[in-house]
Amino acid sequence: MPMAGRDRVDYLGLEALLSDEERLARDTIARLVDREVIPRIGRAWLAGEFLTDLIPRLGELRVYGANLPAEYGCAGLNNVAYGLIMQELERGDSGLRSFASVQGALVMWPIYTYGTEAQRRRWLPALARGERIGCFGLTEPTAGSDPGAMQTRARRRGDGWVLNGTKMWITNGSVADVALVWAKDEGGQIRGFLVETRAPGMSVHDIHTKVSMRASVTSELVLEDVWVPDADVLPEAVGLGAALRCLTQARYGIAWGAIGAAIACYEEALAYARGRIAFGRPIAATQLIQERLVDMLTEITKAQLLAYRIGRMKDAGTLRYAQVSLAKRNNVRMALEVARAARTILGAYGITVEYQAMRHAANLETVDTYEGTYDVHTLILGRDITGLDAFGAEPADGGSS
Ligand code: TGC
Ligand code: FAD
């Protein structure tokens, strides 16, 4: 099988289409993941621990907001390099990629895009170095797929706002210094507020019962009369569309990241199948195992082509959000199926954290759900190609019948 670089899964030679800068970005993170993540992530995942010592390491390597401009302390890389970084992080663990995704795509990107120059200067360099950590509060206990139904409210008071509400399933919640909280004002308009997590009235509770994303912090944020001065309101973060545009950034990174998880599972299953003897021969010499491995390779290769193409489109400024939905939906479901197939090949060993497949499969159940469930992306794409909205209570034809 054609390989490139460090035994990389690259059946169609995509390596040749990458620039030196893109390869360097990927290989730098690949080394970190091989040395500092893979040897210990299984045990940490089992213990429910996020590898906090990696937070400054990723800052030193300018991973956070790597596709944002250098003038704010970021790496200023293009979107293919950024995607390859996400791929390598998720080859280690989806929780690690998630940490960086939230920091970069859901906190730094909105501050860069919707914030004032003073807000950018205050937050972006510190977030880029990993000295400050952010989280993104959109989902609520009763509003996930339909964020427009949020209950969190912002009331105007003096030269600021008072926020009340609960945000649920918030990645990085209890390790964050700042939360980008989305709330409705008295006119029903959704706005984005930068809320310091130690502000009076703010409480954060971790969710400890997860059997997915165990090496990632997930929290509930409760806001009771939390005061936010005008200086901490993102002036351009107005309307549901502003929140959804942030999701497009994160979904783009996930479309790449999922490939990393799939590669980890495929490589592990291939190596195991070559060495595992049953009925007097390697199981890799059986037709059924070969079919599984070939299906895995084929789906990874298709996902790589998809990610590469949307990366170049994003850099060209031509990428639409429905196209990102197509890639997120396909690549995450692909990775989940690859992880499950890999677990099958590993037999009993596959249910332990000594191997990677089961951990990745469990994590990918979350990745298939967050940032828009598989079904939500089906409906986004369905609406895009038919022009008819199938989300809400109204009939898809708008009630004309
Ligand atoms: P809808 O009418 O569709 O949209 C309102 C306005 O926004 C525009 N828009 C988008 N713009 C950019 N990117 C997107 N992805 C966009 N989706 C919609 C849309 O064109 C419209 O603009 P305009 O000018 O016409 O006003 O609003 P809706 O209420 O019908 O929304 C439906 C739906 C399902 C598309 C949307 O609400 C949705 O995507 N739901 C899923 C929610 C979700 O993904 N939540 C994720 C929370 S964050 C998270 O999970 C972090 S996980 C950690 C990690 O990332 O690692
Ligand atoms: P629901 O919206 O209640 O959906 C339940 C089921 O109904 C799903 O299968 C869905 O596809 C289906 N469904 C919903 N609507 C329709 C429809 N119209 N037609 C057909 N089927 C439909 N959120 C944040 O804001 N910030 C974060 O940092 C964050 N991190 C997360 C971390 C983890 C570990 C997890 C698990 C979630 C995280 N989330 C975060 C929340 C995540 O975005 C939501 O879980 C997701 O958007 C789905 O919402 P829900 O869980 O409320 O499911």
Side-chain angles (χ1 to χ4, degrees):
M1 182 177 66
M3 293 279 195
R6 187 196 42 82
D7 282 345
R8 201 154 280 122
V9 180
D10 184 22
Y11 205 71
L12 293 186
L14 282 172
E15 187 77 7
L17 303 179
L18 301 179
S19 68
D20 288 345
E21 184 179 70
E22 289 160 355
R23 285 193 207 111
L24 179 64
R26 179 198 57 199
D27 293 346
T28 303
I29 305 307
R31 270 193 300 278
L32 173 96
V33 167
D34 286 337
R35 290 176 191 164
E36 298 182 39
V37 179
I38 289 178
R40 61 197 177 119
I41 186 65
R43 293 283 162 190
W45 190 93
L46 209 53
E49 288 167 4
F50 176 60
L51 300 174
T52 46
D53 58 302
L54 292 176
I55 296 173
R57 288 286 290 124
L58 295 178
E60 284 161 21
L61 296 172
R62 289 294 180 268
V63 161
Y64 307 125
N67 54 354
L68 295 176
E71 65 176 299
Y72 298 107
C74 306
L77 295 174
N78 72 11
N79 285 292
V80 170
Y82 171 81
L84 288 163
I85 289 172
M86 295 297 124
Q87 171 189 292
E88 291 308 312
L89 291 176
E90 196 146 359
R91 193 168 57 75
D93 192 78
S94 298
L96 187 59
R97 194 270 309 139
S98 217
F99 180 86
S101 278
V102 169
Q103 178 92 340
L106 294 180
V107 179
M108 295 172 70
W109 185 87
I111 292 172
Y112 173 70
T113 306
Y114 303 132
T116 61
E117 192 56 26
Q119 289 168 334
R120 292 176 180 178
R121 299 272 166 214
R122 177 180 175 203
W123 287 108
L124 293 180
L127 289 161
R129 290 191 296 268
E131 291 166 8
R132 292 282 180 276
I133 297 168
C135 67
F136 180 88
L138 180 65
T139 305
E140 299 188 354
T142 56
S145 297
D146 182 12
M150 70 174 64
Q151 299 295 316
T152 301
R153 291 291 181 267
R155 279 182 292 112
R156 193 89 184 111
R157 188 194 293 164
D159 54 356
W161 300 79
V162 176
L163 267 60
N164 280 283
T166 301
K167 296 292 175 180
M168 190 64 182
W169 304 112
I170 306 307
T171 301
N172 300 351
S174 66
V175 290
D177 303 284
V178 64
L180 171 48
V181 173
W182 297 88
K184 276 186 188 168
D185 68 16
E186 286 139 312
Q189 185 73 271
I190 292 174
R191 295 176 183 275
F193 300 85
L194 292 174
V195 185
E196 302 213 27
T197 51
R198 282 156 206 83
M202 182 91 162
S203 50
V204 183
H205 314 277
D206 282 346
I207 299 164
H208 292 294
T209 50
K210 294 176 294 174
V211 287
S212 170
M213 288 289 194
R214 288 191 54 76
S216 169
V217 173
T218 314
S219 317
E220 176 192 47
L221 311 182
V222 180
L223 297 99
E224 293 170 301
D225 289 331
V226 177
W227 164 254
V228 182
D230 280 338
D232 293 344
V233 180
L234 295 178
E236 304 297 326
V238 180
L240 179 60
L244 296 176
R245 283 180 71 201
C246 305
L247 303 186
T248 300
Q249 308 309 309
R251 291 167 181 173
Y252 169 80
I254 291 169
W256 280 92
I259 297 169
I263 287 174
C265 295
Y266 167 76
E267 288 181 340
E268 179 176 74
L270 177 60
Y272 183 86
R274 281 180 172 145
R276 178 69 176 177
I277 307 295
F279 300 98
R281 60 180 177 165
I283 59 171
T286 68
Q287 292 180 0
L288 285 176
I289 297 288
Q290 286 195 3
E291 184 185 36
R292 284 202 185 101
L293 291 168
V294 168
D295 284 346
M296 290 158 87
L297 174 67
T298 305
E299 293 308 315
I300 291 170
T301 302
K302 285 152 68 178
Q304 288 173 319
L305 290 166
L306 195 46
Y308 178 81
R309 173 66 183 149
I310 64 166
R312 293 288 181 236
M313 289 172 77
K314 188 163 165 56
D315 280 332
T318 59
L319 186 62
R320 295 188 302 116
Y321 74 78
Q323 293 167 326
V324 176
S325 283
L326 188 146
K328 192 273 182 184
R329 175 179 182 272
N330 180 80
N331 288 12
V332 175
R333 187 55 66 92
M334 173 284 296
L336 181 55
E337 285 169 4
V338 165
R340 288 170 178 162
R343 211 293 306 154
T344 308
I345 291 171
L346 295 166
Y349 294 98
I351 70 157
T352 71
V353 294
E354 310 301 333
Y355 290 83
Q356 304 178 69
M358 188 84 180
R359 172 173 54 81
H360 278 300
N363 286 340
L364 288 161
E365 290 289 344
T366 284
V367 186
D368 199 57
T369 291
Y370 71 24
E371 286 291 353
T373 67
Y374 182 86
D375 295 335
V376 159
H377 290 296
T378 304
L379 299 180
I380 291 171
L381 287 159
R383 181 170 68 182
D384 194 50
I385 61 176
T386 66
L388 299 169
D389 190 322
F391 282 106
E394 294 297 317
D397 65 0
S400 60
S401 61

